[in-house]
Amino acid sequence: MASTLEKFIHSLDPRSLPRVLQIQSGIYFQGSIYEMFGNECCLSTGEVIKVIGFKINKLIASICENNEDSQFSAKVELPLNFPGLYKVVADKTPYISIEEITRKVAIGSTRFGHPCFYSSEDIKLANLTIKQGEQITFNSVEEVNGTMAVNCGVVRNNQSHSFTLPLSQDGKFYECEDDQIYTLKEIAEWKIPRCRKRIVKLSNTLHAWDSSNPLPENFEGCLILTPVYEVQAVMKFRKDIVHILSDLDVEVKDITDCYDISSFLQPLSLEDVFERTSREFPMVAEIMEGPLGRQKPYNLLHIGKEIVIHKKYQATRVLASEIRSDSPKRHFLIPMTYKGKFKRRPREFPTAYDLEIARSEREQLHVVATKAFDSPHTELFSVSVGDQFLVQQRQTSEVLYEGRKKVIDVLACEQILSDAYKEVLLPMYMEGGFVEVIHDKKQYQLSEICKEFRLPFNVKVSVRDLSIKEDVLAAVPGLQLEEEITDSYLLISSASSPVESWEIPVYRLNMSVHLLSKDVQTDIPPMTKTTVEEISEEEYYMVRRFENQTLHPPPRPPKKPAALAPKPVSAVSKQITSDVLQSTKDELQTVF
């Protein structure tokens, strides 16, 4: 039975791919020629194509100025890279079975693939009863004792309880409220159920509004998102992948069951290759769809190129961001094999709590105050701009608060005076401002920094990596090394001239290959090259969001009464502050 391409794709279960379609009829641009992303193909009546994948290409957003229950008005087209962070509104329409959830909702091993639902009734299992309204996390789908089931979990009293629910489990399952924020691309990939629309609320715009923005200025309402898919397909006599938008006015018929699907080439994404077992490597492949980029090795990975994929593995990278006050910042993933050298740059600390996190046994942290703080307690120290401190340790102290003694966390420091040191206590909740004074002039390798210091850590490239033609880090005035991450990579080389091998990222490189039945040498080229990878802001947030949770200062007590005026600053103390600031400025200048 024929249907429109749009209707077919919207109802297609990705697990049933690939599917063979026959073009029944349609209206085409320039006769029967359809062109997209530089791929030109003829979709004539009777043509047979193999659909190998589909993904959301763009979103049609209906705008609602107030809330999700109001009437939606204008529609706008939003690209997936449209800036902003969004909160997902829970779908009020229930799912009637676990099977329907697995068919329509993305469930996977990544951090986004763990949706949460609750049942309108108790679910009694062999060793556990899931209570009505209790949040159930769906972790994965797999076969259990010959029956397809979902691995689930609930949390009670900070204890996690795991169990499985068969796909045949009926009931009314509602989506739980989600307090996370997402980019539009993340929502498109993970948070729009099949055959349903998704309502979202704008949480953060990331950029200032201008006239080119399709959303109203100061928009605080909701968007109802309808996806338009990009269909990836293979044609009989082509070695590349064609791309077709799902809203193209074409009628198709599914003929998979009566067609020899092996007569088509079988494209594999880098994720598909990575999922193969280690004993299947090395393998020879021909590129069907290559990445964009001028930097090696991306400029070598063009369509038709034959490569050897030697192995798959996990490798460590350091996530780094450009230090600058305005946005957008540049972000990088630096391999541990980077051969450049770094010099330290001063770190900035907004609170005393940040000083406690940053201090180490290796060296004493020396800071200068950039913001004044008047302590509401006589037992604790009031800070003036220019005061210098050596950070000691965290401890507790008794203070008098509203006539009662109270124990609070404090940071013990030594204040540096002109000819002496004075022991002082700073409240841990103190919201001030400090900048680090650097005495260390040593040049460090990246591995040394990760071993000897606690990240985040501020640096500047002092000696560029001479093993690469253009070191992008050398031109950056300052970098914050934020954290070490582990990511998936493939090691590849050219099949025709295997002089050197390259690491390529699995999840950030849009590339498809098909495997060739050719003999391959098992020896890896002696020279393995890695690159500093510049990533987009969106990729940065994907890497960053669910890593170690940010530590927050303890809650600040109520503000002191307004009647307590700040202490006057004498002319002498002003002169001392000026002298300290000047000496600090001179010392900081030597760092740069």
Side-chain angles (χ1 to χ4, degrees):
M1 181 177 176
S3 68
T4 64
L5 179 62
E6 184 173 36
K7 185 177 179 181
F8 176 81
I9 294 298
H10 274 259
S11 61
L12 181 60
D13 185 345
R15 294 173 297 185
S16 69
L17 291 174
R19 309 299 297 178
V20 179
L21 304 183
Q22 186 178 56
I23 307 298
Q24 299 296 297
S25 63
I27 302 172
Y28 313 105
F29 299 106
Q30 298 178 355
S32 61
I33 300 297
Y34 179 71
E35 183 175 357
M36 181 178 177
F37 305 130
N39 290 300
E40 188 180 84
C41 60
C42 176
L43 296 177
S44 57
T45 300
E47 182 74 50
V48 177
I49 62 174
K50 182 175 76 167
V51 176
I52 58 172
F54 58 95
K55 61 182 179 180
I56 297 177
N57 174 267
K58 60 185 177 181
L59 296 164
I60 305 300
S62 300
I63 297 175
C64 177
E65 294 282 0
N66 300 314
N67 56 60
E68 63 266 28
D69 295 321
S70 302
Q71 193 71 27
F72 286 88
S73 54
K75 291 185 178 182
V76 296
E77 184 178 295
L78 299 179
L80 298 188
N81 61 356
F82 186 76
L85 297 172
Y86 304 81
K87 292 198 73 171
V88 170
V89 177
D91 194 341
K92 296 178 181 178
T93 304
Y95 294 82
I96 61 172
S97 69
I98 299 297
E99 187 276 332
E100 184 188 8
I101 293 176
T102 61
R103 188 163 31 90
K104 294 183 177 180
V105 178
I107 301 173
S109 57
T110 74
R111 53 189 64 156
F112 304 111
H114 303 306
C116 296
F117 295 85
Y118 66 89
S119 172
S120 60
E121 299 177 351
D122 289 354
I123 302 175
K124 294 183 179 180
L125 305 173
N127 302 316
L128 188 68
T129 296
I130 308 304
K131 298 175 183 177
Q132 171 189 349
E134 189 171 18
Q135 179 171 300
I136 307 169
T137 301
F138 286 45
N139 294 315
S140 63
V141 182
E142 61 183 57
E143 187 175 332
V144 179
N145 299 325
T147 303
M148 293 304 296
V150 179
N151 289 317
C152 302
V154 295
V155 177
R156 295 174 179 171
N157 300 321
N158 296 324
Q159 292 281 332
S160 180
H161 302 271
S162 300
F163 57 94
T164 60
L165 290 176
L167 268 57
S168 58
Q169 179 78 46
D170 294 329
K172 287 187 177 180
F173 300 93
Y174 293 86
E175 205 173 36
C176 294
E177 294 292 338
D178 189 345
D179 60 356
Q180 296 289 335
I181 55 175
Y182 303 93
T183 65
L184 211 56
K185 185 176 181 182
E186 291 167 352
I187 291 173
E189 292 178 349
W190 291 98
K191 299 299 176 181
I192 299 183
R194 307 292 303 163
C195 302
R196 295 195 183 199
K197 298 177 181 179
R198 170 60 78 194
I199 299 176
V200 299
K201 289 182 178 179
L202 183 62
S203 175
N204 189 326
T205 59
L206 294 182
H207 296 293
W209 186 90
D210 58 40
S211 58
S212 64
N213 193 322
L215 300 180
E217 189 174 5
N218 300 320
F219 177 69
E220 296 181 349
C222 296
L223 301 173
I224 182 166
L225 304 177
T226 303
V228 175
Y229 291 91
E230 175 194 312
V231 181
Q232 296 105 39
V234 178
M235 304 181 76
K236 285 284 289 186
F237 303 107
R238 296 181 61 146
K239 283 191 173 183
D240 57 349
I241 297 173
V242 295
H243 302 261
I244 308 167
L245 287 182
S246 62
D247 59 354
L248 186 68
D249 191 7
V250 176
E251 285 195 344
V252 297
K253 181 180 179 181
D254 190 340
I255 60 170
T256 306
D257 295 337
C258 57
Y259 201 89
D260 180 14
I261 202 167
S262 63
S263 61
F264 289 92
L265 291 177
Q266 177 58 46
L268 299 173
S269 67
L270 295 186
E271 292 94 326
D272 295 330
V273 174
F274 192 82
E275 287 174 2
R276 301 226 162 187
T277 61
S278 296
R279 64 176 177 270
E280 295 180 71
F281 294 86
M283 57 183 71
V284 182
E286 181 179 349
I287 297 174
M288 297 184 68
E289 189 171 53
L292 299 176
R294 298 179 180 178
Q295 183 184 16
K296 280 188 176 183
Y298 307 140
N299 60 345
L300 306 175
L301 303 177
H302 52 78
I303 294 175
K305 175 82 172 180
E306 292 187 10
I307 59 172
V308 178
I309 306 175
H310 295 277
K311 62 179 181 177
K312 66 173 186 176
Y313 54 93
Q314 302 284 317
T316 300
R317 294 290 188 270
V318 174
L319 179 64
S321 295
E322 182 181 18
I323 299 174
R324 57 186 298 172
S325 56
D326 55 340
S327 61
K329 298 179 181 179
R330 298 169 70 187
H331 306 286
F332 306 91
L333 287 174
I334 310 174
M336 299 303 288
T337 53
Y338 177 77
K339 295 181 176 62
K341 290 187 177 182
F342 299 94
K343 275 190 175 181
R344 296 174 60 175
R345 282 200 57 176
R347 292 170 286 179
E348 294 182 6
F349 308 99
T351 69
Y353 190 72
D354 294 292
L355 295 178
E356 158 62 18
I357 294 173
R359 73 180 183 87
S360 69
E361 299 298 328
R362 183 183 182 276
E363 64 176 1
Q364 198 162 32
L365 182 60
H366 178 191
V367 296
V368 59
T370 58
K371 184 179 178 181
F373 172 79
D374 195 13
S375 173
H377 309 294
T378 56
E379 301 88 345
L380 305 181
F381 189 69
S382 292
V383 176
S384 300
V385 174
D387 285 348
Q388 294 193 63
F389 302 96
L390 297 176
V391 179
Q392 301 293 333
Q393 62 186 8
R394 180 177 182 165
Q395 61 188 57
T396 58
S397 177
E398 259 190 6
V399 297
L400 196 63
Y401 182 71
E402 295 183 347
R404 296 182 179 181
K405 288 186 176 180
K406 184 177 180 180
V407 177
I408 66 169
D409 288 328
V410 296
L411 187 65
C413 299
E414 287 185 338
Q415 184 189 12
I416 303 175
L417 303 176
S418 57
D419 56 356
Y421 295 91
K422 176 184 176 183
E423 293 186 358
V424 298
L425 299 177
L426 304 180
M428 200 68 76
Y429 62 77
M430 170 186 168
E431 294 179 1
F434 302 91
V435 64
E436 183 179 20
V437 178
I438 302 294
H439 303 281
D440 183 3
K441 303 298 189 292
K442 181 181 174 181
Q443 298 183 108
Y444 291 91
Q445 299 279 0
L446 183 62
S447 57
E448 292 178 305
I449 293 174
C450 294
K451 182 180 178 181
E452 297 181 21
F453 300 99
R454 183 178 295 178
L455 303 184
F457 199 73
N458 292 0
V459 296
K460 177 181 175 11
V461 173
S462 56
V463 179
R464 74 177 187 88
D465 187 343
L466 300 175
S467 68
I468 54 180
K469 184 176 180 181
E470 183 180 354
D471 185 350
V472 294
L473 299 182
V476 179
L479 283 169
Q480 182 174 76
L481 307 179
E482 297 183 7
E483 62 185 317
E484 292 185 56
I485 67 163
T486 302
D487 208 355
S488 302
Y489 290 86
L490 295 172
L491 188 67
I492 68 165
S493 66
S494 170
S496 58
S497 54
V499 178
E500 57 189 18
S501 57
W502 294 85
E503 282 185 355
I504 59 173
V506 172
Y507 297 110
R508 288 182 302 279
L509 201 61
N510 184 24
M511 177 171 152
S512 296
V513 302
H514 73 94
L515 301 182
L516 302 176
S517 300
K518 288 187 175 183
D519 293 333
V520 56
Q521 292 184 351
T522 57
D523 295 337
I524 298 175
M527 187 181 298
T528 298
K529 298 216 171 173
T530 57
T531 60
V532 175
E533 185 183 353
E534 184 167 357
I535 59 176
S536 67
E537 189 171 18
E538 176 190 328
E539 290 169 330
Y540 168 80
Y541 282 112
M542 290 179 68
V543 170
R544 184 83 178 149
R545 180 176 299 117
F546 293 104
E547 296 297 334
N548 297 330
Q549 292 185 348
T550 303
L551 297 171
H552 296 285
R556 184 175 180 174
K559 292 182 179 180
K560 60 176 181 170
L564 293 177
K567 295 184 296 183
V569 181
S570 66
V572 175
S573 64
K574 283 184 178 179
Q575 182 60 48
I576 292 174
T577 299
S578 175
D579 294 342
V580 172
L581 279 176
Q582 183 60 47
S583 64
T584 303
K585 182 178 178 182
D586 294 341
E587 189 157 12
L588 290 178
Q589 283 177 341
T590 64
V591 178
F592 303 106

